[in-house]
Amino acid sequence: MELDWYLSLSAVLFTIGVIGVLTRKNAIVVFMCAELMLNSVNLTLVSFSAQHGDVHGQILVFFSLCVAAAEAAVGLAIIIAIFRNHLTVDISQINLLRW
Amino acid sequence: MESVNELVTILPAIIIGFAGLLVMMLDAYIENVRLVFRTTTLFTLGALGIAINDMFGHSGEAFYGLITYGGTAAFGAVLVLIGTLVTVILSRDYLEKTGSHIAEVYSMILFGTFGMLILVSANNLVTLFLGIETMSICLYVLAGLVKNEKKGVEAALKYFLLGAFSTGFLLYGMALLYGASGSTFLTDIATLDDKGMIYWAGVALLLVGFFFKISAVPFHMWTPDVYQGAPTTITAYMATASKSAAFVAFIFVLSRALPEARAEWGDVIWLFSILTMVIGNVLALVQDNVKRMLAYSSIAHAGYILIGLAAGTDAAYSAVLFYLFAYTLMNLGAFGIVAYYEWHKGLDFTEVKNYAGLGFKQPVMGVLMSIFLFSMVGIPPFAGFIGKYRVFAAAVDEGLISLVVVGVLASAASVYYYLRVLINLYMHESDPGITLIRPGVLYSATLIILAALTIYFGVKPGDLTNLLGSFKGISY
């Protein structure tokens, strides 16, 4: 198995996620990019797990999927609350708190 | 029977988890906020008692070594539970007065505390990750507790987005360490001989993840916004319990999983410690909002604590634990007083200049605030002084003189912004139209106990420091 390919793919996906979080303005897109980061890590874990012939990595993937689901539930609720208060989800316009 | 024993090993966490579920059900079927509050207080008090007892000798492993408990972990549990108990007690009055007293607060606090208790006793990357995330997700909810408060919801959004971002780094670091070592147990990662690029990338990403959670500069951007926007007693909870838990877990990761790389991460933490102390203190100087000032001050405190981690010896770790204890007491107290001033609906007590003359209106609260702030400055005879002294002394023993010099200068600069609050409280004329509400007995008694402990452990730290010094055998 060519481990390097899997690792490179997940590193590229992770980087796309980081760049997305740092540059995008829409809260939902930012959140999707954060989820992309988590899922690219899951890919890393699964490929290491297969490489080592060890199941612990895949167990961690299951937990990280659960956490991502819980985070999505809370996150989307927060984004709805933001929209009700500010009538926008553009994070550059949500700036009552600064410095 | 084996599994029952394992549950008993981490009894405080089990009690808190059970209490969280119970409280949620009580709220659904009985809808009595007072009852929920009493149940929460009772269970937290019980768990705290057991955790205090666990510091003296009880230790063990559970769930195939995923959890190790006792010694340092038990002390971490005590810190977390003190934070939780005080937050619960202060939250009742604060949320009642500000008109957002809902019972869900208590179950979210309990579930968050459960996550912290797992975090401080984690011996495996899986439990570490789950502990951090259980804690963080509950904190996102708590920050945005008041749904129609614009600043609170904004704080929740910022906390959530940056928290999810930092989780990505943390998990990537864990994945790479797992890939390099083939095991998720902290102690197995330490035995790795062949340290390649994957290992070092994993260490770096893991450190970034932790720096986010303990809000070290330059990963601190979320802290002031979240601390300012969240309800004040919840801010106290985030600033004390969650930070103590993250620091204890950080100590375990550094000392169990990465002991051989100490020279490398020692240098990294050295750098971040200086950045955190300098930038945290400088930005605190220019704040007018009291909560925001306290947020920057907590960043600065994280910098002092990082000095101890950079030293990385057993003595330094026990000094860090003492510092965390003092930090928990004085921050809970200071945020508790700020929350008390915020009770007064219609009066704006967010800016430091609005505190003018309040010290004489309710003398007890003014005196307590002075005690907590003097302790934060690090003036004897308060616990904050002993904490700083012990961390600095441990660093000097390791030859980190430059770090200690920066630390001492930074805490000298911090006198300005702490005393500015006191000068406003006592030396400015107050508006005669303002009358302050008398705080309830439970509220003021809690704050008085915190102040008494701050003084007691400042005058007589010996017992606690001896206890912390005895932990190294069982826990690192």
Side-chain angles (χ1 to χ4, degrees), chain A residues 11 31 37 48 52 54 57 63 67 71 75 85 94 96-99, chain B residues 126 130 133 147 150 154 158 160 165 172 178-179 225 283 287 292:
Chain A
F31 175 53
M37 287 165 65
F48 275 131
H52 288 303
D54 173 82
F63 282 115
V67 163
E71 224 169 42
N85 281 298
I94 301 169
L96 290 173
L97 303 163
R98 46 171 45 187
W99 273 92
Chain B
V126 178
L130 278 180
E133 285 309 300
K147 273 189 295 189
K150 273 191 171 187
E154 180 178 331
K158 286 183 173 168
F160 165 70
F165 187 53
Y172 204 12
Y178 167 71
D225 288 354
L283 290 179
Q287 300 305 324
R292 214 167 169 79

PDB file of all heavy atoms in Angstrom, chain A residues 11 31 37 48 52 54 57 63 67 71 75 85 94 96-99, chain B residues 126 130 133 147 150 154 158 160 165 172 178-179 225 283 287 292:
ATOM      1  N   ALA A  11      -3.248  15.721   3.725  1.00  0.00           N
ATOM      2  CA  ALA A  11      -2.575  16.989   4.032  1.00  0.00           C
ATOM      3  C   ALA A  11      -3.102  18.094   3.132  1.00  0.00           C
ATOM      4  O   ALA A  11      -3.333  19.222   3.591  1.00  0.00           O
ATOM      5  CB  ALA A  11      -1.064  16.839   3.860  1.00  0.00           C
ATOM      6  N   PHE A  31     -17.533  27.021   8.793  1.00  0.00           N
ATOM      7  CA  PHE A  31     -17.770  25.807   9.558  1.00  0.00           C
ATOM      8  C   PHE A  31     -17.542  24.562   8.700  1.00  0.00           C
ATOM      9  O   PHE A  31     -16.933  23.579   9.145  1.00  0.00           O
ATOM     10  CB  PHE A  31     -19.191  25.839  10.115  1.00  0.00           C
ATOM     11  CG  PHE A  31     -19.575  24.586  10.812  1.00  0.00           C
ATOM     12  CD1 PHE A  31     -18.775  24.079  11.820  1.00  0.00           C
ATOM     13  CD2 PHE A  31     -20.718  23.907  10.460  1.00  0.00           C
ATOM     14  CE1 PHE A  31     -19.121  22.915  12.462  1.00  0.00           C
ATOM     15  CE2 PHE A  31     -21.060  22.742  11.103  1.00  0.00           C
ATOM     16  CZ  PHE A  31     -20.259  22.239  12.097  1.00  0.00           C
ATOM     17  N   MET A  37     -11.388  19.933   7.651  1.00  0.00           N
ATOM     18  CA  MET A  37     -10.129  19.658   8.359  1.00  0.00           C
ATOM     19  C   MET A  37     -10.260  18.373   9.171  1.00  0.00           C
ATOM     20  O   MET A  37      -9.392  17.497   9.129  1.00  0.00           O
ATOM     21  CB  MET A  37      -9.793  20.811   9.308  1.00  0.00           C
ATOM     22  CG  MET A  37      -9.325  22.073   8.625  1.00  0.00           C
ATOM     23  SD  MET A  37      -9.362  23.495   9.719  1.00  0.00           S
ATOM     24  CE  MET A  37      -8.149  23.037  10.922  1.00  0.00           C
ATOM     25  N   PHE A  48      -3.184   5.324   8.480  1.00  0.00           N
ATOM     26  CA  PHE A  48      -2.176   4.847   9.439  1.00  0.00           C
ATOM     27  C   PHE A  48      -2.629   3.552  10.079  1.00  0.00           C
ATOM     28  O   PHE A  48      -1.831   2.637  10.317  1.00  0.00           O
ATOM     29  CB  PHE A  48      -1.927   5.888  10.525  1.00  0.00           C
ATOM     30  CG  PHE A  48      -0.927   6.932  10.149  1.00  0.00           C
ATOM     31  CD1 PHE A  48      -1.208   8.274  10.343  1.00  0.00           C
ATOM     32  CD2 PHE A  48       0.297   6.578   9.614  1.00  0.00           C
ATOM     33  CE1 PHE A  48      -0.286   9.236  10.013  1.00  0.00           C
ATOM     34  CE2 PHE A  48       1.230   7.542   9.282  1.00  0.00           C
ATOM     35  CZ  PHE A  48       0.925   8.877   9.477  1.00  0.00           C
ATOM     36  N   HIS A  52      -0.457   0.170  10.079  1.00  0.00           N
ATOM     37  CA  HIS A  52       0.049  -0.505  11.275  1.00  0.00           C
ATOM     38  C   HIS A  52      -0.651  -1.831  11.524  1.00  0.00           C
ATOM     39  O   HIS A  52      -0.232  -2.580  12.398  1.00  0.00           O
ATOM     40  CB  HIS A  52      -0.149   0.381  12.511  1.00  0.00           C
ATOM     41  CG  HIS A  52       0.757   1.560  12.556  1.00  0.00           C
ATOM     42  ND1 HIS A  52       2.124   1.460  12.509  1.00  0.00           N
ATOM     43  CD2 HIS A  52       0.494   2.886  12.635  1.00  0.00           C
ATOM     44  CE1 HIS A  52       2.648   2.669  12.556  1.00  0.00           C
ATOM     45  NE2 HIS A  52       1.676   3.548  12.627  1.00  0.00           N
ATOM     46  N   ASP A  54      -3.487  -2.027  12.964  1.00  0.00           N
ATOM     47  CA  ASP A  54      -3.885  -1.799  14.354  1.00  0.00           C
ATOM     48  C   ASP A  54      -5.205  -1.041  14.338  1.00  0.00           C
ATOM     49  O   ASP A  54      -5.392  -0.127  13.545  1.00  0.00           O
ATOM     50  CB  ASP A  54      -2.793  -0.958  15.030  1.00  0.00           C
ATOM     51  CG  ASP A  54      -3.179  -0.519  16.419  1.00  0.00           C
ATOM     52  OD1 ASP A  54      -3.027  -1.322  17.344  1.00  0.00           O
ATOM     53  OD2 ASP A  54      -3.629   0.629  16.568  1.00  0.00           O
ATOM     54  N   GLY A  57      -6.593   3.355  15.629  1.00  0.00           N
ATOM     55  CA  GLY A  57      -6.794   4.545  14.828  1.00  0.00           C
ATOM     56  C   GLY A  57      -8.219   4.648  14.334  1.00  0.00           C
ATOM     57  O   GLY A  57      -8.832   5.718  14.328  1.00  0.00           O
ATOM     58  N   PHE A  63     -14.924   8.013  17.099  1.00  0.00           N
ATOM     59  CA  PHE A  63     -15.194   9.048  18.092  1.00  0.00           C
ATOM     60  C   PHE A  63     -15.148  10.427  17.457  1.00  0.00           C
ATOM     61  O   PHE A  63     -15.939  11.305  17.790  1.00  0.00           O
ATOM     62  CB  PHE A  63     -14.200   8.940  19.248  1.00  0.00           C
ATOM     63  CG  PHE A  63     -14.546   7.844  20.206  1.00  0.00           C
ATOM     64  CD1 PHE A  63     -13.728   6.751  20.370  1.00  0.00           C
ATOM     65  CD2 PHE A  63     -15.719   7.905  20.925  1.00  0.00           C
ATOM     66  CE1 PHE A  63     -14.063   5.738  21.248  1.00  0.00           C
ATOM     67  CE2 PHE A  63     -16.067   6.905  21.798  1.00  0.00           C
ATOM     68  CZ  PHE A  63     -15.233   5.816  21.959  1.00  0.00           C
ATOM     69  N   VAL A  67     -18.008  13.312  17.512  1.00  0.00           N
ATOM     70  CA  VAL A  67     -17.743  14.672  17.976  1.00  0.00           C
ATOM     71  C   VAL A  67     -18.118  15.671  16.891  1.00  0.00           C
ATOM     72  O   VAL A  67     -18.734  16.703  17.156  1.00  0.00           O
ATOM     73  CB  VAL A  67     -16.263  14.810  18.383  1.00  0.00           C
ATOM     74  CG1 VAL A  67     -15.877  16.263  18.472  1.00  0.00           C
ATOM     75  CG2 VAL A  67     -16.032  14.123  19.694  1.00  0.00           C
ATOM     76  N   GLU A  71     -20.766  18.598  17.213  1.00  0.00           N
ATOM     77  CA  GLU A  71     -20.318  19.962  16.960  1.00  0.00           C
ATOM     78  C   GLU A  71     -21.192  20.614  15.902  1.00  0.00           C
ATOM     79  O   GLU A  71     -21.528  21.789  16.001  1.00  0.00           O
ATOM     80  CB  GLU A  71     -18.864  19.926  16.496  1.00  0.00           C
ATOM     81  CG  GLU A  71     -18.010  20.957  17.148  1.00  0.00           C
ATOM     82  CD  GLU A  71     -16.551  20.710  16.852  1.00  0.00           C
ATOM     83  OE1 GLU A  71     -16.209  20.368  15.691  1.00  0.00           O
ATOM     84  OE2 GLU A  71     -15.744  20.842  17.761  1.00  0.00           O
ATOM     85  N   GLY A  75     -23.159  23.903  16.465  1.00  0.00           N
ATOM     86  CA  GLY A  75     -22.704  24.992  15.603  1.00  0.00           C
ATOM     87  C   GLY A  75     -23.817  25.563  14.771  1.00  0.00           C
ATOM     88  O   GLY A  75     -23.977  26.788  14.681  1.00  0.00           O
ATOM     89  N   ASN A  85     -30.322  37.343  15.435  1.00  0.00           N
ATOM     90  CA  ASN A  85     -29.928  38.585  16.092  1.00  0.00           C
ATOM     91  C   ASN A  85     -29.366  39.605  15.125  1.00  0.00           C
ATOM     92  O   ASN A  85     -29.605  40.792  15.256  1.00  0.00           O
ATOM     93  CB  ASN A  85     -28.891  38.308  17.178  1.00  0.00           C
ATOM     94  CG  ASN A  85     -29.529  37.780  18.437  1.00  0.00           C
ATOM     95  OD1 ASN A  85     -30.320  38.463  19.047  1.00  0.00           O
ATOM     96  ND2 ASN A  85     -29.220  36.551  18.795  1.00  0.00           N
ATOM     97  N   ILE A  94     -20.137  40.794  11.850  1.00  0.00           N
ATOM     98  CA  ILE A  94     -20.498  40.466  13.230  1.00  0.00           C
ATOM     99  C   ILE A  94     -19.333  40.903  14.091  1.00  0.00           C
ATOM    100  O   ILE A  94     -18.418  40.140  14.362  1.00  0.00           O
ATOM    101  CB  ILE A  94     -20.778  38.965  13.363  1.00  0.00           C
ATOM    102  CG1 ILE A  94     -21.910  38.578  12.418  1.00  0.00           C
ATOM    103  CG2 ILE A  94     -21.151  38.605  14.782  1.00  0.00           C
ATOM    104  CD1 ILE A  94     -22.086  37.119  12.273  1.00  0.00           C
ATOM    105  N   LEU A  96     -19.374  43.273  17.101  1.00  0.00           N
ATOM    106  CA  LEU A  96     -19.620  44.095  18.288  1.00  0.00           C
ATOM    107  C   LEU A  96     -18.444  44.034  19.250  1.00  0.00           C
ATOM    108  O   LEU A  96     -18.160  44.984  19.967  1.00  0.00           O
ATOM    109  CB  LEU A  96     -20.873  43.598  19.006  1.00  0.00           C
ATOM    110  CG  LEU A  96     -22.193  43.832  18.306  1.00  0.00           C
ATOM    111  CD1 LEU A  96     -23.294  43.134  19.062  1.00  0.00           C
ATOM    112  CD2 LEU A  96     -22.477  45.310  18.239  1.00  0.00           C
ATOM    113  N   LEU A  97     -17.778  42.894  19.283  1.00  0.00           N
ATOM    114  CA  LEU A  97     -16.674  42.699  20.223  1.00  0.00           C
ATOM    115  C   LEU A  97     -15.363  42.836  19.466  1.00  0.00           C
ATOM    116  O   LEU A  97     -15.103  42.082  18.552  1.00  0.00           O
ATOM    117  CB  LEU A  97     -16.754  41.304  20.839  1.00  0.00           C
ATOM    118  CG  LEU A  97     -18.037  40.941  21.570  1.00  0.00           C
ATOM    119  CD1 LEU A  97     -18.131  39.464  21.737  1.00  0.00           C
ATOM    120  CD2 LEU A  97     -18.057  41.616  22.904  1.00  0.00           C
ATOM    121  N   ARG A  98     -14.577  43.807  19.831  1.00  0.00           N
ATOM    122  CA  ARG A  98     -13.257  43.904  19.194  1.00  0.00           C
ATOM    123  C   ARG A  98     -12.292  44.618  20.141  1.00  0.00           C
ATOM    124  O   ARG A  98     -12.672  45.458  20.912  1.00  0.00           O
ATOM    125  CB  ARG A  98     -13.346  44.631  17.858  1.00  0.00           C
ATOM    126  CG  ARG A  98     -14.171  45.908  17.917  1.00  0.00           C
ATOM    127  CD  ARG A  98     -14.076  46.704  16.668  1.00  0.00           C
ATOM    128  NE  ARG A  98     -14.199  45.865  15.498  1.00  0.00           N
ATOM    129  CZ  ARG A  98     -14.014  46.319  14.273  1.00  0.00           C
ATOM    130  NH1 ARG A  98     -13.689  47.575  14.080  1.00  0.00           N
ATOM    131  NH2 ARG A  98     -14.128  45.520  13.237  1.00  0.00           N
ATOM    132  N   TRP A  99     -11.049  44.317  19.995  1.00  0.00           N
ATOM    133  CA  TRP A  99      -9.976  44.865  20.831  1.00  0.00           C
ATOM    134  C   TRP A  99     -10.312  44.793  22.296  1.00  0.00           C
ATOM    135  O   TRP A  99     -10.351  45.750  23.007  1.00  0.00           O
ATOM    136  CB  TRP A  99      -9.607  46.294  20.422  1.00  0.00           C
ATOM    137  CG  TRP A  99      -8.606  46.200  19.359  1.00  0.00           C
ATOM    138  CD1 TRP A  99      -8.845  46.182  18.014  1.00  0.00           C
ATOM    139  CD2 TRP A  99      -7.217  46.038  19.506  1.00  0.00           C
ATOM    140  NE1 TRP A  99      -7.697  46.001  17.328  1.00  0.00           N
ATOM    141  CE2 TRP A  99      -6.667  45.912  18.211  1.00  0.00           C
ATOM    142  CE3 TRP A  99      -6.361  45.958  20.624  1.00  0.00           C
ATOM    143  CZ2 TRP A  99      -5.306  45.723  18.005  1.00  0.00           C
ATOM    144  CZ3 TRP A  99      -5.016  45.782  20.410  1.00  0.00           C
ATOM    145  CH2 TRP A  99      -4.493  45.677  19.106  1.00  0.00           C
TER     146      TRP A  99
ATOM    147  N   VAL B 126      -7.410   8.942  22.677  1.00  0.00           N
ATOM    148  CA  VAL B 126      -8.864   8.897  22.470  1.00  0.00           C
ATOM    149  C   VAL B 126      -9.583   9.599  23.618  1.00  0.00           C
ATOM    150  O   VAL B 126     -10.438  10.464  23.406  1.00  0.00           O
ATOM    151  CB  VAL B 126      -9.349   7.437  22.348  1.00  0.00           C
ATOM    152  CG1 VAL B 126     -10.848   7.402  22.175  1.00  0.00           C
ATOM    153  CG2 VAL B 126      -8.679   6.749  21.188  1.00  0.00           C
ATOM    154  N   LEU B 130     -11.745  13.068  23.519  1.00  0.00           N
ATOM    155  CA  LEU B 130     -13.144  13.089  23.948  1.00  0.00           C
ATOM    156  C   LEU B 130     -13.352  14.055  25.108  1.00  0.00           C
ATOM    157  O   LEU B 130     -14.345  14.779  25.143  1.00  0.00           O
ATOM    158  CB  LEU B 130     -13.587  11.694  24.359  1.00  0.00           C
ATOM    159  CG  LEU B 130     -13.998  10.815  23.204  1.00  0.00           C
ATOM    160  CD1 LEU B 130     -14.407   9.458  23.713  1.00  0.00           C
ATOM    161  CD2 LEU B 130     -15.144  11.452  22.457  1.00  0.00           C
ATOM    162  N   GLU B 133     -13.274  17.637  23.810  1.00  0.00           N
ATOM    163  CA  GLU B 133     -14.433  18.000  22.991  1.00  0.00           C
ATOM    164  C   GLU B 133     -15.714  18.058  23.802  1.00  0.00           C
ATOM    165  O   GLU B 133     -16.546  18.936  23.594  1.00  0.00           O
ATOM    166  CB  GLU B 133     -14.568  17.021  21.825  1.00  0.00           C
ATOM    167  CG  GLU B 133     -13.542  17.271  20.759  1.00  0.00           C
ATOM    168  CD  GLU B 133     -13.510  18.718  20.335  1.00  0.00           C
ATOM    169  OE1 GLU B 133     -14.515  19.243  19.856  1.00  0.00           O
ATOM    170  OE2 GLU B 133     -12.457  19.366  20.509  1.00  0.00           O
ATOM    171  N   LYS B 147     -30.102  33.754  24.420  1.00  0.00           N
ATOM    172  CA  LYS B 147     -30.269  33.692  22.971  1.00  0.00           C
ATOM    173  C   LYS B 147     -30.455  35.046  22.319  1.00  0.00           C
ATOM    174  O   LYS B 147     -30.072  35.234  21.180  1.00  0.00           O
ATOM    175  CB  LYS B 147     -31.495  32.823  22.648  1.00  0.00           C
ATOM    176  CG  LYS B 147     -31.178  31.367  22.555  1.00  0.00           C
ATOM    177  CD  LYS B 147     -32.368  30.606  22.020  1.00  0.00           C
ATOM    178  CE  LYS B 147     -33.540  30.660  22.967  1.00  0.00           C
ATOM    179  NZ  LYS B 147     -34.640  29.772  22.612  1.00  0.00           N
ATOM    180  N   LYS B 150     -27.120  39.996  21.832  1.00  0.00           N
ATOM    181  CA  LYS B 150     -26.290  39.989  20.628  1.00  0.00           C
ATOM    182  C   LYS B 150     -24.830  39.625  20.922  1.00  0.00           C
ATOM    183  O   LYS B 150     -24.215  38.834  20.222  1.00  0.00           O
ATOM    184  CB  LYS B 150     -26.328  41.367  19.963  1.00  0.00           C
ATOM    185  CG  LYS B 150     -27.480  41.552  19.009  1.00  0.00           C
ATOM    186  CD  LYS B 150     -27.271  42.813  18.210  1.00  0.00           C
ATOM    187  CE  LYS B 150     -28.312  42.895  17.094  1.00  0.00           C
ATOM    188  NZ  LYS B 150     -28.056  44.002  16.200  1.00  0.00           N
ATOM    189  N   GLU B 154     -22.696  36.360  19.644  1.00  0.00           N
ATOM    190  CA  GLU B 154     -21.487  36.592  18.850  1.00  0.00           C
ATOM    191  C   GLU B 154     -20.282  35.902  19.494  1.00  0.00           C
ATOM    192  O   GLU B 154     -19.456  35.287  18.807  1.00  0.00           O
ATOM    193  CB  GLU B 154     -21.234  38.096  18.730  1.00  0.00           C
ATOM    194  CG  GLU B 154     -20.002  38.408  17.929  1.00  0.00           C
ATOM    195  CD  GLU B 154     -19.783  39.889  17.764  1.00  0.00           C
ATOM    196  OE1 GLU B 154     -20.775  40.635  17.765  1.00  0.00           O
ATOM    197  OE2 GLU B 154     -18.623  40.299  17.627  1.00  0.00           O
ATOM    198  N   LYS B 158     -17.891  33.034  17.755  1.00  0.00           N
ATOM    199  CA  LYS B 158     -16.433  33.136  17.627  1.00  0.00           C
ATOM    200  C   LYS B 158     -15.742  31.970  18.341  1.00  0.00           C
ATOM    201  O   LYS B 158     -14.792  31.372  17.832  1.00  0.00           O
ATOM    202  CB  LYS B 158     -15.948  34.457  18.205  1.00  0.00           C
ATOM    203  CG  LYS B 158     -16.274  35.612  17.303  1.00  0.00           C
ATOM    204  CD  LYS B 158     -15.729  36.907  17.823  1.00  0.00           C
ATOM    205  CE  LYS B 158     -15.945  37.989  16.777  1.00  0.00           C
ATOM    206  NZ  LYS B 158     -15.702  39.316  17.304  1.00  0.00           N
ATOM    207  N   PHE B 160     -17.015  29.070  18.959  1.00  0.00           N
ATOM    208  CA  PHE B 160     -17.288  27.826  18.252  1.00  0.00           C
ATOM    209  C   PHE B 160     -16.400  27.679  17.026  1.00  0.00           C
ATOM    210  O   PHE B 160     -15.770  26.633  16.816  1.00  0.00           O
ATOM    211  CB  PHE B 160     -18.762  27.767  17.866  1.00  0.00           C
ATOM    212  CG  PHE B 160     -19.048  26.721  16.859  1.00  0.00           C
ATOM    213  CD1 PHE B 160     -18.976  25.389  17.211  1.00  0.00           C
ATOM    214  CD2 PHE B 160     -19.342  27.053  15.549  1.00  0.00           C
ATOM    215  CE1 PHE B 160     -19.205  24.409  16.275  1.00  0.00           C
ATOM    216  CE2 PHE B 160     -19.567  26.078  14.618  1.00  0.00           C
ATOM    217  CZ  PHE B 160     -19.495  24.751  14.970  1.00  0.00           C
ATOM    218  N   PHE B 165     -11.795  24.999  14.682  1.00  0.00           N
ATOM    219  CA  PHE B 165     -10.534  25.156  13.945  1.00  0.00           C
ATOM    220  C   PHE B 165      -9.384  24.524  14.741  1.00  0.00           C
ATOM    221  O   PHE B 165      -8.602  23.728  14.221  1.00  0.00           O
ATOM    222  CB  PHE B 165     -10.313  26.658  13.759  1.00  0.00           C
ATOM    223  CG  PHE B 165      -9.164  27.040  12.886  1.00  0.00           C
ATOM    224  CD1 PHE B 165      -9.035  26.519  11.619  1.00  0.00           C
ATOM    225  CD2 PHE B 165      -8.225  27.969  13.327  1.00  0.00           C
ATOM    226  CE1 PHE B 165      -7.996  26.898  10.800  1.00  0.00           C
ATOM    227  CE2 PHE B 165      -7.177  28.359  12.510  1.00  0.00           C
ATOM    228  CZ  PHE B 165      -7.063  27.815  11.249  1.00  0.00           C
ATOM    229  N   TYR B 172      -5.200  16.447  14.207  1.00  0.00           N
ATOM    230  CA  TYR B 172      -4.166  16.124  13.219  1.00  0.00           C
ATOM    231  C   TYR B 172      -2.862  15.761  13.940  1.00  0.00           C
ATOM    232  O   TYR B 172      -2.171  14.800  13.557  1.00  0.00           O
ATOM    233  CB  TYR B 172      -3.955  17.301  12.275  1.00  0.00           C
ATOM    234  CG  TYR B 172      -3.384  16.920  10.924  1.00  0.00           C
ATOM    235  CD1 TYR B 172      -3.313  15.591  10.523  1.00  0.00           C
ATOM    236  CD2 TYR B 172      -2.936  17.876  10.036  1.00  0.00           C
ATOM    237  CE1 TYR B 172      -2.803  15.239   9.291  1.00  0.00           C
ATOM    238  CE2 TYR B 172      -2.430  17.544   8.797  1.00  0.00           C
ATOM    239  CZ  TYR B 172      -2.368  16.221   8.429  1.00  0.00           C
ATOM    240  OH  TYR B 172      -1.862  15.876   7.205  1.00  0.00           O
ATOM    241  N   TYR B 178       0.072   9.126  16.355  1.00  0.00           N
ATOM    242  CA  TYR B 178      -0.358   7.735  16.266  1.00  0.00           C
ATOM    243  C   TYR B 178       0.331   7.048  15.090  1.00  0.00           C
ATOM    244  O   TYR B 178       0.806   5.917  15.200  1.00  0.00           O
ATOM    245  CB  TYR B 178      -1.876   7.666  16.098  1.00  0.00           C
ATOM    246  CG  TYR B 178      -2.375   6.323  15.687  1.00  0.00           C
ATOM    247  CD1 TYR B 178      -2.347   5.249  16.570  1.00  0.00           C
ATOM    248  CD2 TYR B 178      -2.857   6.110  14.397  1.00  0.00           C
ATOM    249  CE1 TYR B 178      -2.790   4.009  16.189  1.00  0.00           C
ATOM    250  CE2 TYR B 178      -3.299   4.871  14.012  1.00  0.00           C
ATOM    251  CZ  TYR B 178      -3.265   3.824  14.897  1.00  0.00           C
ATOM    252  OH  TYR B 178      -3.691   2.581  14.509  1.00  0.00           O
ATOM    253  N   GLY B 179       0.415   7.774  13.964  1.00  0.00           N
ATOM    254  CA  GLY B 179       1.059   7.183  12.803  1.00  0.00           C
ATOM    255  C   GLY B 179       2.521   6.888  13.056  1.00  0.00           C
ATOM    256  O   GLY B 179       3.050   5.845  12.638  1.00  0.00           O
ATOM    257  N   ASP B 225     -12.862  38.234  23.368  1.00  0.00           N
ATOM    258  CA  ASP B 225     -14.223  38.355  22.845  1.00  0.00           C
ATOM    259  C   ASP B 225     -15.175  37.426  23.582  1.00  0.00           C
ATOM    260  O   ASP B 225     -16.270  37.816  23.974  1.00  0.00           O
ATOM    261  CB  ASP B 225     -14.245  37.998  21.355  1.00  0.00           C
ATOM    262  CG  ASP B 225     -13.593  39.075  20.515  1.00  0.00           C
ATOM    263  OD1 ASP B 225     -13.253  40.120  21.095  1.00  0.00           O
ATOM    264  OD2 ASP B 225     -13.420  38.868  19.305  1.00  0.00           O
ATOM    265  N   LEU B 283      -1.744  44.397  26.332  1.00  0.00           N
ATOM    266  CA  LEU B 283      -3.109  44.654  25.880  1.00  0.00           C
ATOM    267  C   LEU B 283      -4.055  44.849  27.052  1.00  0.00           C
ATOM    268  O   LEU B 283      -5.032  45.584  26.944  1.00  0.00           O
ATOM    269  CB  LEU B 283      -3.591  43.528  24.968  1.00  0.00           C
ATOM    270  CG  LEU B 283      -2.902  43.501  23.604  1.00  0.00           C
ATOM    271  CD1 LEU B 283      -3.403  42.343  22.770  1.00  0.00           C
ATOM    272  CD2 LEU B 283      -3.122  44.804  22.864  1.00  0.00           C
ATOM    273  N   GLN B 287      -7.299  48.265  28.290  1.00  0.00           N
ATOM    274  CA  GLN B 287      -8.718  47.900  28.296  1.00  0.00           C
ATOM    275  C   GLN B 287      -9.515  48.767  29.270  1.00  0.00           C
ATOM    276  O   GLN B 287      -9.088  49.008  30.393  1.00  0.00           O
ATOM    277  CB  GLN B 287      -8.887  46.432  28.704  1.00  0.00           C
ATOM    278  CG  GLN B 287      -8.202  45.461  27.786  1.00  0.00           C
ATOM    279  CD  GLN B 287      -8.612  45.623  26.348  1.00  0.00           C
ATOM    280  OE1 GLN B 287      -9.760  45.915  26.046  1.00  0.00           O
ATOM    281  NE2 GLN B 287      -7.660  45.438  25.455  1.00  0.00           N
ATOM    282  N   ARG B 292     -13.075  42.403  29.916  1.00  0.00           N
ATOM    283  CA  ARG B 292     -12.052  42.245  28.884  1.00  0.00           C
ATOM    284  C   ARG B 292     -10.652  42.357  29.505  1.00  0.00           C
ATOM    285  O   ARG B 292      -9.723  41.640  29.140  1.00  0.00           O
ATOM    286  CB  ARG B 292     -12.241  43.335  27.832  1.00  0.00           C
ATOM    287  CG  ARG B 292     -11.896  42.886  26.463  1.00  0.00           C
ATOM    288  CD  ARG B 292     -12.391  43.881  25.439  1.00  0.00           C
ATOM    289  NE  ARG B 292     -11.817  43.547  24.157  1.00  0.00           N
ATOM    290  CZ  ARG B 292     -12.253  42.586  23.382  1.00  0.00           C
ATOM    291  NH1 ARG B 292     -13.279  41.862  23.742  1.00  0.00           N
ATOM    292  NH2 ARG B 292     -11.666  42.317  22.231  1.00  0.00           N
TER     293      ARG B 292
END
